[in-house]
Amino acid sequence: MSDHLQISHHEVFRRPGHFSAWPANYGLWAWDEEIVVVFADGKLGEQGALHARDKSHEFKPMQARSVDGGATWSPETFAGFVPGGKSLSADEHLAVPLRSGSKLRGQDIPALSTPVNFLDPEIAVMVARTGLDGRAHSWFYLTRNRGRRWEGPFLFKGLDLKGLASRTDIVPLSDDHALFMMTAAKSDGNEGRCLCVETTDGGLTFHWKTSLPFDGDGYAIMPSSLRLSDGAIVSVVRRGRGIDQAGWLETFRSKDNGATWHPLGIPVEDTGPGGNPGSLVRLGPQRLAIVYGFRGDRPGMRMVTSSDGGRKWSEAIDIRRDAVLPDIGYPRSVALNDGRILAIYYYNFGKERFIAASTISGDGH
């Protein structure tokens, strides 16, 4: 099926000796031809079981901007305050003295004072965190000028939950009503399980609404969710048991704005050893695609598609399979106005890890 696709690849951010990665931990937003992606930028280190990052160096948030629909990109400094240090959403990749989690003690993160209009196309919200375990903290930022300035961080006021290790996954329901799909630690303090958090006052306060079904096997983390034209919400969850075992993706559906969730099935049975999150994108009223990194033999980027709201999925479609090492993926994706899918992820050809983009069009999706 990939033979019928038109796919082009572009470099977003690449520096010799750098380890630039994990857009899934941050966010991607598009306004017509203008697009902004946020990611982490650190230094290359010795090869470990999967990553080759220098844990003695900060992983600072960076962003890149395109004004031509993803063909060319310009790097930018992340214009927001990072509490607890210089690294954002990356404690698990740092030596203990550099981690921000312990430094947050005694630092107050304020609550939002002016409500967010979640349906305002000029406002983008990004969720950030410290680490992954039961000591993790999460907060959020917002921008009103397409990432040129990030306001925050802001507290999830009213949300008395331990071990919140969340990324950006927000389902707007109305101007002041939204669901924040989150990851939290399990009762044993390890990652993770997925839950649905609700705000009905524009982000001033939050409350836990429900947890997604979880069988307790390994971990269920990093949801990617959206609302269909019929009002149903579909969420894709990353599943896994550890770095040496193959991960998979699982889907859930809610017909009552997140009050209850029902399993839809497993659209991807193998994301490779260590697994990879999926990025869900809506292409039509019931047409969906999931972009993900494959960390097995011949690693690369793949996707699956559905024409019935996520009940049935295609076989895996190759976006690219030219990575040298499986240290790749963590994509964000968006449907552009011209119908193309733009996927942004981290990649390698055996040396530095860099941020790449692929645009995908054609009857394969």
Side-chain angles (χ1 to χ4, degrees), residues 170-198:
I170 302 165
V171 181
L173 301 178
S174 69
D175 287 358
D176 56 4
H177 188 187
L179 305 179
F180 280 57
M181 306 297 291
M182 293 186 165
T183 299
K186 298 183 293 187
S187 58
D188 62 5
N190 295 316
E191 65 168 354
R193 58 189 177 91
C194 295
L195 49 91
C196 176
V197 168
E198 185 174 46

PDB file of all heavy atoms in Angstrom, residues 170-198:
ATOM      1  N   ILE A 170      -4.948  16.557  24.775  1.00  0.00           N
ATOM      2  CA  ILE A 170      -6.097  17.337  25.223  1.00  0.00           C
ATOM      3  C   ILE A 170      -7.230  17.183  24.215  1.00  0.00           C
ATOM      4  O   ILE A 170      -7.020  17.320  23.005  1.00  0.00           O
ATOM      5  CB  ILE A 170      -5.717  18.827  25.376  1.00  0.00           C
ATOM      6  CG1 ILE A 170      -4.564  18.965  26.381  1.00  0.00           C
ATOM      7  CG2 ILE A 170      -6.920  19.658  25.823  1.00  0.00           C
ATOM      8  CD1 ILE A 170      -3.889  20.315  26.349  1.00  0.00           C
ATOM      9  N   VAL A 171      -8.435  16.905  24.714  1.00  0.00           N
ATOM     10  CA  VAL A 171      -9.623  16.780  23.877  1.00  0.00           C
ATOM     11  C   VAL A 171     -10.573  17.911  24.240  1.00  0.00           C
ATOM     12  O   VAL A 171     -11.243  17.854  25.273  1.00  0.00           O
ATOM     13  CB  VAL A 171     -10.312  15.418  24.075  1.00  0.00           C
ATOM     14  CG1 VAL A 171     -11.532  15.302  23.168  1.00  0.00           C
ATOM     15  CG2 VAL A 171      -9.341  14.272  23.812  1.00  0.00           C
ATOM     16  N   PRO A 172     -10.657  18.972  23.441  1.00  0.00           N
ATOM     17  CA  PRO A 172     -11.599  20.065  23.745  1.00  0.00           C
ATOM     18  C   PRO A 172     -13.036  19.605  23.520  1.00  0.00           C
ATOM     19  O   PRO A 172     -13.349  18.943  22.528  1.00  0.00           O
ATOM     20  CB  PRO A 172     -11.213  21.157  22.737  1.00  0.00           C
ATOM     21  CG  PRO A 172      -9.881  20.752  22.184  1.00  0.00           C
ATOM     22  CD  PRO A 172      -9.840  19.269  22.258  1.00  0.00           C
ATOM     23  N   LEU A 173     -13.922  19.991  24.440  1.00  0.00           N
ATOM     24  CA  LEU A 173     -15.337  19.677  24.315  1.00  0.00           C
ATOM     25  C   LEU A 173     -16.181  20.926  24.103  1.00  0.00           C
ATOM     26  O   LEU A 173     -17.234  20.871  23.477  1.00  0.00           O
ATOM     27  CB  LEU A 173     -15.826  18.917  25.557  1.00  0.00           C
ATOM     28  CG  LEU A 173     -15.110  17.592  25.839  1.00  0.00           C
ATOM     29  CD1 LEU A 173     -15.641  16.956  27.112  1.00  0.00           C
ATOM     30  CD2 LEU A 173     -15.248  16.631  24.666  1.00  0.00           C
ATOM     31  N   SER A 174     -15.737  22.054  24.652  1.00  0.00           N
ATOM     32  CA  SER A 174     -16.382  23.348  24.442  1.00  0.00           C
ATOM     33  C   SER A 174     -15.360  24.416  24.787  1.00  0.00           C
ATOM     34  O   SER A 174     -14.186  24.112  25.043  1.00  0.00           O
ATOM     35  CB  SER A 174     -17.647  23.498  25.291  1.00  0.00           C
ATOM     36  OG  SER A 174     -17.320  23.595  26.664  1.00  0.00           O
ATOM     37  N   ASP A 175     -15.777  25.679  24.812  1.00  0.00           N
ATOM     38  CA  ASP A 175     -14.837  26.757  25.099  1.00  0.00           C
ATOM     39  C   ASP A 175     -14.068  26.527  26.388  1.00  0.00           C
ATOM     40  O   ASP A 175     -12.851  26.706  26.445  1.00  0.00           O
ATOM     41  CB  ASP A 175     -15.582  28.100  25.206  1.00  0.00           C
ATOM     42  CG  ASP A 175     -16.050  28.612  23.859  1.00  0.00           C
ATOM     43  OD1 ASP A 175     -15.771  27.950  22.845  1.00  0.00           O
ATOM     44  OD2 ASP A 175     -16.698  29.664  23.825  1.00  0.00           O
ATOM     45  N   ASP A 176     -14.781  26.142  27.463  1.00  0.00           N
ATOM     46  CA  ASP A 176     -14.144  26.025  28.774  1.00  0.00           C
ATOM     47  C   ASP A 176     -14.100  24.595  29.298  1.00  0.00           C
ATOM     48  O   ASP A 176     -13.710  24.357  30.441  1.00  0.00           O
ATOM     49  CB  ASP A 176     -14.850  26.919  29.795  1.00  0.00           C
ATOM     50  CG  ASP A 176     -16.346  26.618  29.910  1.00  0.00           C
ATOM     51  OD1 ASP A 176     -16.818  25.671  29.256  1.00  0.00           O
ATOM     52  OD2 ASP A 176     -17.040  27.352  30.648  1.00  0.00           O
ATOM     53  N   HIS A 177     -14.456  23.643  28.475  1.00  0.00           N
ATOM     54  CA  HIS A 177     -14.575  22.243  28.901  1.00  0.00           C
ATOM     55  C   HIS A 177     -13.628  21.396  28.067  1.00  0.00           C
ATOM     56  O   HIS A 177     -13.687  21.403  26.837  1.00  0.00           O
ATOM     57  CB  HIS A 177     -16.025  21.782  28.704  1.00  0.00           C
ATOM     58  CG  HIS A 177     -16.315  20.431  29.267  1.00  0.00           C
ATOM     59  ND1 HIS A 177     -17.524  19.779  29.056  1.00  0.00           N
ATOM     60  CD2 HIS A 177     -15.587  19.589  30.042  1.00  0.00           C
ATOM     61  CE1 HIS A 177     -17.511  18.613  29.668  1.00  0.00           C
ATOM     62  NE2 HIS A 177     -16.348  18.463  30.264  1.00  0.00           N
ATOM     63  N   ALA A 178     -12.726  20.685  28.730  1.00  0.00           N
ATOM     64  CA  ALA A 178     -11.769  19.839  28.016  1.00  0.00           C
ATOM     65  C   ALA A 178     -11.379  18.654  28.869  1.00  0.00           C
ATOM     66  O   ALA A 178     -11.415  18.702  30.107  1.00  0.00           O
ATOM     67  CB  ALA A 178     -10.521  20.639  27.627  1.00  0.00           C
ATOM     68  N   LEU A 179     -10.982  17.595  28.188  1.00  0.00           N
ATOM     69  CA  LEU A 179     -10.413  16.420  28.836  1.00  0.00           C
ATOM     70  C   LEU A 179      -8.912  16.435  28.625  1.00  0.00           C
ATOM     71  O   LEU A 179      -8.439  16.637  27.508  1.00  0.00           O
ATOM     72  CB  LEU A 179     -11.004  15.139  28.268  1.00  0.00           C
ATOM     73  CG  LEU A 179     -12.526  15.001  28.302  1.00  0.00           C
ATOM     74  CD1 LEU A 179     -12.940  13.674  27.674  1.00  0.00           C
ATOM     75  CD2 LEU A 179     -13.075  15.133  29.708  1.00  0.00           C
ATOM     76  N   PHE A 180      -8.167  16.223  29.692  1.00  0.00           N
ATOM     77  CA  PHE A 180      -6.720  16.060  29.622  1.00  0.00           C
ATOM     78  C   PHE A 180      -6.445  14.575  29.856  1.00  0.00           C
ATOM     79  O   PHE A 180      -6.696  14.044  30.935  1.00  0.00           O
ATOM     80  CB  PHE A 180      -6.016  16.900  30.687  1.00  0.00           C
ATOM     81  CG  PHE A 180      -5.871  18.355  30.334  1.00  0.00           C
ATOM     82  CD1 PHE A 180      -6.983  19.125  30.038  1.00  0.00           C
ATOM     83  CD2 PHE A 180      -4.612  18.959  30.301  1.00  0.00           C
ATOM     84  CE1 PHE A 180      -6.857  20.472  29.714  1.00  0.00           C
ATOM     85  CE2 PHE A 180      -4.483  20.302  29.981  1.00  0.00           C
ATOM     86  CZ  PHE A 180      -5.601  21.061  29.681  1.00  0.00           C
ATOM     87  N   MET A 181      -5.943  13.913  28.830  1.00  0.00           N
ATOM     88  CA  MET A 181      -5.630  12.503  28.933  1.00  0.00           C
ATOM     89  C   MET A 181      -4.209  12.386  29.460  1.00  0.00           C
ATOM     90  O   MET A 181      -3.262  12.910  28.860  1.00  0.00           O
ATOM     91  CB  MET A 181      -5.778  11.827  27.576  1.00  0.00           C
ATOM     92  CG  MET A 181      -7.135  12.055  26.928  1.00  0.00           C
ATOM     93  SD  MET A 181      -8.507  11.371  27.885  1.00  0.00           S
ATOM     94  CE  MET A 181      -8.174   9.623  27.679  1.00  0.00           C
ATOM     95  N   MET A 182      -4.044  11.683  30.574  1.00  0.00           N
ATOM     96  CA  MET A 182      -2.788  11.711  31.316  1.00  0.00           C
ATOM     97  C   MET A 182      -2.246  10.322  31.602  1.00  0.00           C
ATOM     98  O   MET A 182      -2.949   9.312  31.483  1.00  0.00           O
ATOM     99  CB  MET A 182      -2.975  12.462  32.633  1.00  0.00           C
ATOM    100  CG  MET A 182      -3.260  13.938  32.476  1.00  0.00           C
ATOM    101  SD  MET A 182      -3.276  14.756  34.095  1.00  0.00           S
ATOM    102  CE  MET A 182      -3.172  16.462  33.587  1.00  0.00           C
ATOM    103  N   THR A 183      -0.986  10.304  32.026  1.00  0.00           N
ATOM    104  CA  THR A 183      -0.337   9.101  32.535  1.00  0.00           C
ATOM    105  C   THR A 183       0.026   9.328  33.992  1.00  0.00           C
ATOM    106  O   THR A 183       0.525  10.403  34.349  1.00  0.00           O
ATOM    107  CB  THR A 183       0.936   8.776  31.744  1.00  0.00           C
ATOM    108  OG1 THR A 183       0.602   8.546  30.371  1.00  0.00           O
ATOM    109  CG2 THR A 183       1.623   7.544  32.302  1.00  0.00           C
ATOM    110  N   ALA A 184      -0.230   8.339  34.823  1.00  0.00           N
ATOM    111  CA  ALA A 184       0.140   8.418  36.236  1.00  0.00           C
ATOM    112  C   ALA A 184       0.805   7.106  36.639  1.00  0.00           C
ATOM    113  O   ALA A 184       0.681   6.081  35.968  1.00  0.00           O
ATOM    114  CB  ALA A 184      -1.081   8.674  37.105  1.00  0.00           C
ATOM    115  N   ALA A 185       1.518   7.160  37.758  1.00  0.00           N
ATOM    116  CA  ALA A 185       2.168   5.962  38.276  1.00  0.00           C
ATOM    117  C   ALA A 185       1.135   4.972  38.795  1.00  0.00           C
ATOM    118  O   ALA A 185       0.042   5.351  39.228  1.00  0.00           O
ATOM    119  CB  ALA A 185       3.134   6.337  39.393  1.00  0.00           C
ATOM    120  N   LYS A 186       1.505   3.706  38.751  1.00  0.00           N
ATOM    121  CA  LYS A 186       0.667   2.664  39.333  1.00  0.00           C
ATOM    122  C   LYS A 186       0.804   2.697  40.857  1.00  0.00           C
ATOM    123  O   LYS A 186       1.596   3.451  41.408  1.00  0.00           O
ATOM    124  CB  LYS A 186       1.087   1.302  38.785  1.00  0.00           C
ATOM    125  CG  LYS A 186       0.907   1.166  37.277  1.00  0.00           C
ATOM    126  CD  LYS A 186       1.268  -0.222  36.781  1.00  0.00           C
ATOM    127  CE  LYS A 186       2.746  -0.518  36.912  1.00  0.00           C
ATOM    128  NZ  LYS A 186       3.128  -1.794  36.281  1.00  0.00           N
ATOM    129  N   SER A 187       0.041   1.871  41.531  1.00  0.00           N
ATOM    130  CA  SER A 187       0.054   1.864  42.996  1.00  0.00           C
ATOM    131  C   SER A 187       1.407   1.469  43.561  1.00  0.00           C
ATOM    132  O   SER A 187       1.747   1.844  44.688  1.00  0.00           O
ATOM    133  CB  SER A 187      -1.026   0.915  43.534  1.00  0.00           C
ATOM    134  OG  SER A 187      -0.826  -0.407  43.041  1.00  0.00           O
ATOM    135  N   ASP A 188       2.231   0.761  42.762  1.00  0.00           N
ATOM    136  CA  ASP A 188       3.560   0.374  43.232  1.00  0.00           C
ATOM    137  C   ASP A 188       4.615   1.454  42.983  1.00  0.00           C
ATOM    138  O   ASP A 188       5.796   1.255  43.265  1.00  0.00           O
ATOM    139  CB  ASP A 188       3.994  -0.946  42.600  1.00  0.00           C
ATOM    140  CG  ASP A 188       4.109  -0.880  41.071  1.00  0.00           C
ATOM    141  OD1 ASP A 188       3.940   0.218  40.498  1.00  0.00           O
ATOM    142  OD2 ASP A 188       4.369  -1.931  40.460  1.00  0.00           O
ATOM    143  N   GLY A 189       4.190   2.582  42.415  1.00  0.00           N
ATOM    144  CA  GLY A 189       5.098   3.686  42.177  1.00  0.00           C
ATOM    145  C   GLY A 189       5.771   3.673  40.822  1.00  0.00           C
ATOM    146  O   GLY A 189       6.473   4.623  40.473  1.00  0.00           O
ATOM    147  N   ASN A 190       5.580   2.609  40.050  1.00  0.00           N
ATOM    148  CA  ASN A 190       6.172   2.534  38.715  1.00  0.00           C
ATOM    149  C   ASN A 190       5.187   3.045  37.665  1.00  0.00           C
ATOM    150  O   ASN A 190       3.974   3.034  37.875  1.00  0.00           O
ATOM    151  CB  ASN A 190       6.557   1.091  38.388  1.00  0.00           C
ATOM    152  CG  ASN A 190       7.651   0.558  39.298  1.00  0.00           C
ATOM    153  OD1 ASN A 190       8.631   1.246  39.559  1.00  0.00           O
ATOM    154  ND2 ASN A 190       7.477  -0.670  39.792  1.00  0.00           N
ATOM    155  N   GLU A 191       5.747   3.460  36.496  1.00  0.00           N
ATOM    156  CA  GLU A 191       4.819   3.828  35.427  1.00  0.00           C
ATOM    157  C   GLU A 191       4.170   2.549  34.900  1.00  0.00           C
ATOM    158  O   GLU A 191       4.784   1.458  34.961  1.00  0.00           O
ATOM    159  CB  GLU A 191       5.560   4.588  34.324  1.00  0.00           C
ATOM    160  CG  GLU A 191       6.605   3.777  33.574  1.00  0.00           C
ATOM    161  CD  GLU A 191       7.103   4.466  32.308  1.00  0.00           C
ATOM    162  OE1 GLU A 191       6.578   5.529  31.930  1.00  0.00           O
ATOM    163  OE2 GLU A 191       8.023   3.926  31.698  1.00  0.00           O
ATOM    164  N   GLY A 192       2.954   2.575  34.343  1.00  0.00           N
ATOM    165  CA  GLY A 192       2.096   3.657  34.373  1.00  0.00           C
ATOM    166  C   GLY A 192       0.722   3.173  33.963  1.00  0.00           C
ATOM    167  O   GLY A 192       0.522   2.083  33.451  1.00  0.00           O
ATOM    168  N   ARG A 193      -0.213   4.045  34.140  1.00  0.00           N
ATOM    169  CA  ARG A 193      -1.600   3.811  33.777  1.00  0.00           C
ATOM    170  C   ARG A 193      -2.157   5.105  33.209  1.00  0.00           C
ATOM    171  O   ARG A 193      -1.634   6.184  33.483  1.00  0.00           O
ATOM    172  CB  ARG A 193      -2.409   3.376  35.011  1.00  0.00           C
ATOM    173  CG  ARG A 193      -2.360   4.402  36.153  1.00  0.00           C
ATOM    174  CD  ARG A 193      -2.966   3.898  37.436  1.00  0.00           C
ATOM    175  NE  ARG A 193      -2.830   4.868  38.516  1.00  0.00           N
ATOM    176  CZ  ARG A 193      -3.730   5.806  38.808  1.00  0.00           C
ATOM    177  NH1 ARG A 193      -4.835   5.897  38.097  1.00  0.00           N
ATOM    178  NH2 ARG A 193      -3.540   6.641  39.811  1.00  0.00           N
ATOM    179  N   CYS A 194      -3.211   4.994  32.433  1.00  0.00           N
ATOM    180  CA  CYS A 194      -3.791   6.166  31.779  1.00  0.00           C
ATOM    181  C   CYS A 194      -5.089   6.568  32.467  1.00  0.00           C
ATOM    182  O   CYS A 194      -5.880   5.719  32.883  1.00  0.00           O
ATOM    183  CB  CYS A 194      -4.069   5.871  30.312  1.00  0.00           C
ATOM    184  SG  CYS A 194      -2.587   5.567  29.331  1.00  0.00           S
ATOM    185  N   LEU A 195      -5.283   7.851  32.554  1.00  0.00           N
ATOM    186  CA  LEU A 195      -6.496   8.364  33.178  1.00  0.00           C
ATOM    187  C   LEU A 195      -6.996   9.584  32.428  1.00  0.00           C
ATOM    188  O   LEU A 195      -6.284  10.195  31.642  1.00  0.00           O
ATOM    189  CB  LEU A 195      -6.264   8.682  34.650  1.00  0.00           C
ATOM    190  CG  LEU A 195      -5.043   9.524  35.028  1.00  0.00           C
ATOM    191  CD1 LEU A 195      -5.400  10.988  35.055  1.00  0.00           C
ATOM    192  CD2 LEU A 195      -4.500   9.085  36.377  1.00  0.00           C
ATOM    193  N   CYS A 196      -8.251   9.918  32.684  1.00  0.00           N
ATOM    194  CA  CYS A 196      -8.927  11.034  32.047  1.00  0.00           C
ATOM    195  C   CYS A 196      -9.235  12.075  33.110  1.00  0.00           C
ATOM    196  O   CYS A 196      -9.912  11.790  34.104  1.00  0.00           O
ATOM    197  CB  CYS A 196     -10.204  10.540  31.380  1.00  0.00           C
ATOM    198  SG  CYS A 196     -11.214  11.827  30.642  1.00  0.00           S
ATOM    199  N   VAL A 197      -8.698  13.285  32.921  1.00  0.00           N
ATOM    200  CA  VAL A 197      -8.876  14.407  33.843  1.00  0.00           C
ATOM    201  C   VAL A 197      -9.721  15.460  33.148  1.00  0.00           C
ATOM    202  O   VAL A 197      -9.589  15.682  31.934  1.00  0.00           O
ATOM    203  CB  VAL A 197      -7.507  14.966  34.259  1.00  0.00           C
ATOM    204  CG1 VAL A 197      -7.639  16.303  34.966  1.00  0.00           C
ATOM    205  CG2 VAL A 197      -6.791  13.960  35.162  1.00  0.00           C
ATOM    206  N   GLU A 198     -10.572  16.135  33.904  1.00  0.00           N
ATOM    207  CA  GLU A 198     -11.522  17.070  33.306  1.00  0.00           C
ATOM    208  C   GLU A 198     -11.395  18.461  33.914  1.00  0.00           C
ATOM    209  O   GLU A 198     -11.153  18.617  35.109  1.00  0.00           O
ATOM    210  CB  GLU A 198     -12.942  16.548  33.536  1.00  0.00           C
ATOM    211  CG  GLU A 198     -14.035  17.355  32.854  1.00  0.00           C
ATOM    212  CD  GLU A 198     -15.391  16.678  33.005  1.00  0.00           C
ATOM    213  OE1 GLU A 198     -15.710  16.242  34.128  1.00  0.00           O
ATOM    214  OE2 GLU A 198     -16.127  16.580  32.007  1.00  0.00           O
TER     215      GLU A 198
END
